[in-house]
Amino acid sequence: MLTGKQKRFLRSKAHHLSPIFQVGKTGVTDNMITQIDEALEKRELIKISILQNNFENKNEVAQELADGAQAQIVQIIGNTIILYKESSNNKEIQLP
């Protein structure tokens, strides 16, 4: 679990990032979870946007993505989710 201080640090790191995945009307798929897991291994911190045509609860979408990719939810703000997962090979972010 991430502490408040760690989440604050990761939010500041994620501020300049653009969303690299979009969850649309099809919702969360296994293929999407696999791709997010691979992206987290490379980047450790990613943003995901939830499109207007997705009618699922954004908290449930975020939890489903985090559980599938074994990641931590840093923040859900508006229709944007920030996920963090410590990389095993490409560790760049040092948490406080």
Side-chain angles (χ1 to χ4, degrees), residues 58-74:
K58 62 185 174 184
N59 294 322
E60 290 174 12
V61 170
Q63 195 59 56
E64 200 174 337
L65 291 171
D67 291 346
Q70 290 94 42
Q72 303 283 331
I73 299 170
V74 176

Side-chain angles (χ1 to χ4, degrees), residues 21-65:
F21 287 100
Q22 296 178 332
V23 180
K25 63 182 174 187
T26 58
V28 178
T29 62
D30 290 339
N31 187 33
M32 180 185 295
I33 290 174
T34 304
Q35 290 179 344
I36 288 173
D37 193 32
E38 290 170 3
L40 282 166
E41 178 60 36
K42 288 189 176 73
R43 300 173 186 232
E44 293 186 304
L45 190 64
I46 61 170
K47 273 187 182 176
I48 302 164
S49 67
I50 301 174
L51 300 178
Q52 297 294 325
N53 61 3
N54 182 297
F55 298 111
E56 295 177 46
N57 182 331
K58 62 185 174 184
N59 294 322
E60 290 174 12
V61 170
Q63 195 59 56
E64 200 174 337
L65 291 171

Side-chain angles (χ1 to χ4, degrees), residues 1 6 9 16 21 39 45 64 76 81 83 91 93:
M1 237 13 218
Q6 290 170 330
F9 172 76
H16 71 282
F21 287 100
L45 190 64
E64 200 174 337
I76 302 169
I81 303 166
L83 293 181
K91 185 152 175 54
I93 298 174

